[in-house]
Amino acid sequence: MTQPNLLDSFTKISVGTITLNTLIPAVLTFLVCLIVMRLLTKLTDKLVEKSKKLDGTLQGFIRSSVKITMWFITAMIVADSLGIPMTSVVALVSVAGLALSLSIQKIMANLFSGITLLVTKPFVADDYVSVAGKNGKIKTVGLFYTLMDSPDNTIISIPNSDVTATAIINYSAEPLRRVDMIFSASYDDRTEDVKNAILSAAMEDERVLAEPAPFAALMEYKASSIDYVARLWVKTSDYWDVYFRMNERVREIFAERGIQMTYEHMNVHIVEK
């Protein structure tokens, strides 16, 4: 008779209104919720990946939103199994939300900025952009941060509010992009010779488009040289390859044709009296 009494006493141990009799079912309920959450997460991932209408940024946002929603529902279910009135939970959440609203303004700004980015779509996954002074390829837009892959293979996390508050330069939005380059030549070289040399370098590269046609012109008179501008249209994916190739080839053609690539210097004339 002693053992049942001890067991009875043990099960009646309570913290407030929570007893062992209510705690065990709540733990089991929580474990079941975890299993369901894992299954639903996998299902969401499969559905999102199969959808062709959702780009990578929106996929990441949906995954984050689903996880937060499931954790909130789980908390409500477990609280109910512990015998905590739902009205009290909702009231507690409301009060806590009001109290935290002042301290999490930045977090909420990031959240709503993330929604703004997904609605307006200034970029999509894999676009190469310049945002908040950082350059890289868009990985995903989360609830609070936009993730970018940098050219040197590092992950850049930028708060969504910073992204929406600054100018966004999207280098991948258009299929074509113009390469603007400046080359310096001596005052002693004929203008037409320099322009023809630059255009020759451009027309040698098959990646440079014939239409719009390559353009070269005298840009500016400097103290020690004359600057010439070159403007070439290429496919966006070819931009950097053409840029580097032009730098190399113009130097070679200038050397072949005797055109001087000058540097900053000063000419001193001595006048004898």
Side-chain angles (χ1 to χ4, degrees):
M1 295 296 293
T2 306
Q3 188 172 355
N5 288 336
L6 287 173
L7 184 60
D8 248 1
S9 301
F10 186 66
T11 56
K12 289 180 180 178
I13 295 175
S14 64
V15 177
T17 59
I18 301 174
T19 65
L20 192 63
N21 285 333
T22 58
L23 183 61
I24 293 175
V27 171
L28 293 175
T29 300
F30 178 69
L31 293 175
V32 171
C33 287
L34 285 181
I35 295 172
V36 174
M37 284 172 60
R38 178 165 295 185
L39 293 174
L40 289 176
T41 300
K42 289 182 177 179
L43 179 61
T44 301
D45 289 343
K46 288 182 179 179
L47 292 174
V48 165
E49 288 172 2
K50 287 181 180 179
S51 177
K52 297 180 180 179
K53 296 182 179 179
L54 300 176
D55 59 75
T57 54
L58 188 55
Q59 289 178 8
F61 190 85
I62 290 174
R63 289 190 180 99
S64 301
S65 300
V66 169
K67 286 180 181 179
I68 290 177
T69 302
M70 287 192 294
W71 274 110
F72 179 76
I73 294 174
T74 297
M76 299 290 284
I77 293 173
V78 172
D80 185 57
S81 65
L82 287 171
I84 301 174
M86 286 299 98
T87 52
S88 301
V89 174
V90 172
L92 180 63
V93 170
S94 300
V95 173
L98 183 61
L100 289 174
S101 60
L102 296 177
S103 61
I104 61 172
Q105 288 182 5
K106 188 67 174 177
I107 295 176
M108 296 306 295
N110 287 331
L111 174 61
F112 287 110
S113 294
I115 295 173
T116 300
L117 291 173
L118 292 171
V119 172
T120 58
K121 289 190 175 181
F123 46 68
V124 295
D126 293 331
D127 277 357
Y128 189 85
V129 302
S130 176
V131 177
K134 303 295 183 181
N135 296 330
K137 186 181 288 187
I138 292 296
K139 188 176 180 68
T140 184
V141 175
L143 288 176
F144 307 108
Y145 288 90
T146 294
L147 302 183
M148 296 167 56
D149 285 326
S150 69
D152 59 348
N153 200 33
T154 56
I155 300 296
I156 303 173
S157 300
I158 305 177
N160 289 333
S161 58
D162 289 349
V163 177
T164 56
T166 189
I168 300 171
I169 303 175
N170 191 332
Y171 296 105
S172 303
E174 298 294 337
L176 302 181
R177 188 176 171 191
R178 194 178 73 186
V179 182
D180 289 357
M181 306 185 73
I182 301 293
F183 299 99
S184 296
S186 169
Y187 272 91
D188 297 330
D189 296 310
R190 293 178 64 250
T191 298
E192 287 304 315
D193 292 341
V194 177
K195 289 167 56 178
N196 289 336
I198 294 172
L199 291 175
S200 294
M203 289 184 288
E204 284 181 6
D205 196 328
E206 295 180 352
R207 294 167 297 191
V208 176
L209 302 179
E211 189 62 37
F215 171 81
L218 191 153
M219 182 75 171
E220 187 178 359
Y221 295 101
K222 293 291 188 68
S224 306
S225 62
I226 297 177
D227 281 352
Y228 293 84
V229 62
R231 291 175 178 169
L232 324 169
W233 285 93
V234 298
K235 291 181 180 178
T236 300
S237 57
D238 292 333
Y239 180 89
W240 286 112
D241 291 334
V242 171
Y243 184 92
F244 293 130
R245 177 58 180 165
M246 276 291 293
N247 269 330
E248 296 172 0
R249 190 61 186 131
V250 167
R251 186 174 189 273
E252 294 170 355
I253 292 180
F254 275 18
E256 292 170 4
R257 301 186 183 186
I259 298 172
Q260 300 178 54
M261 298 189 79
T262 60
Y263 49 86
E264 291 294 329
H265 62 278
M266 179 182 294
N267 293 327
V268 178
H269 300 275
I270 300 177
V271 179
E272 295 183 2
K273 293 184 177 180

